[in-house]
């Protein structure tokens, strides 16, 4: 099966659903148990996604099961966030497809470097990034969930 990745408004119902699933996944990992609806709602409120200039929806067999977002602040840099592949679609190439699409969009917006922060416990995400050319860099953000930082030069 082939992944397709398209841009979507962050407020589109499909995007909103994927973001909810993303926050459920990362909150559940953080708590070490399934997150409650209240915890997911609190995470969504604490860290809104309205700063994302580009929101990508990944589909597998026509079903939206992944996402990634980009924001642009410092000239020449793109910030990658909200990379998510639903559990039922993991291992099917969604992570690499979302990264490739995000990198294309970042280049199209004039970025020469794409960077991100993540948590130490998100080992599969960290492995995805390093496998696809991201290297650890010094901290460029702060926050309770920013524990390691990565960047990739875009060519």
């Amino acid at each position: 099966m082939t992944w397709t990745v398209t841009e979507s408004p962050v407020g589109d119902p499909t995007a909103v659903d994927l973001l909810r699933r993303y926050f459920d996944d990362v909150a559940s990992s953080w708590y070490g148990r399934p997150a409650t609806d209240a915890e997911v709602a609190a995470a969504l409120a604490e860290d809104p996604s309205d700063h994302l200039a580009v929101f990508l929806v990944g589909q597998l067999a026509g079903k939206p099961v992944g996402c990634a977002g980009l924001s642009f602040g410092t000239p020449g840099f793109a910030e990658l966030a909200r990379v998510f592949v639903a559990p039922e679609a993991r291992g099917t190439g969604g992570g690499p497809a979302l990264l490739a699409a995000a990198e294309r969009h970042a280049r199209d917006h004039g970025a020469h470097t794409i960077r991100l922060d993540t948590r130490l416990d998100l080992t599969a995400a960290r492995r995805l990034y390093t496998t696809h050319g991201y290297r650890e860099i010094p901290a460029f953000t702060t926050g309770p969930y920013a524990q390691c930082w990565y960047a990739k030069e875009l060519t």
Side-chain angles (χ1 to χ4, degrees), residues 13-14 28 39 44 49 66 68 84 134 153:
T14 297
S28 294
E39 289 165 337
L44 283 161
S49 299
F84 170 71
Y134 289 74
E153 299 301 317

Side-chain angles (χ1 to χ4, degrees), residues 22-147:
Y22 162 82
F23 276 101
D24 183 31
D25 192 60
V26 296
S28 294
S29 174
W30 181 258
Y31 292 123
R33 58 165 171 74
T36 66
D37 288 340
E39 289 165 337
V40 173
L44 283 161
E46 177 185 317
D47 193 7
S49 299
D50 54 357
H51 69 287
L52 298 174
V54 175
F55 190 77
L56 303 171
V57 171
Q59 293 189 7
L60 182 61
K63 182 180 177 188
V65 289
C67 63
L70 290 171
S71 61
F72 303 93
T74 305
F77 290 87
E79 311 292 335
L80 181 64
R82 313 294 194 261
V83 178
F84 170 71
V85 175
E88 69 271 17
R90 292 179 182 160
T92 63
L98 288 161
L99 286 181
E103 291 166 9
R104 278 192 305 277
H105 280 272
R107 275 192 298 275
D108 290 349
H109 283 81
H112 56 73
T113 304
I114 189 168
R115 60 190 182 178
L116 63 104
D117 62 54
T118 191
R119 295 189 338 230
L120 288 170
D121 67 308
L122 299 178
T123 56
R126 292 173 51 220
R127 186 171 43 255
L128 172 71
Y129 302 133
T130 58
T131 299
H132 291 278
Y134 289 74
R135 61 181 168 67
E136 282 196 65
I137 61 169
F140 65 93
T141 59
T142 60
Y145 308 114
Q147 298 172 326

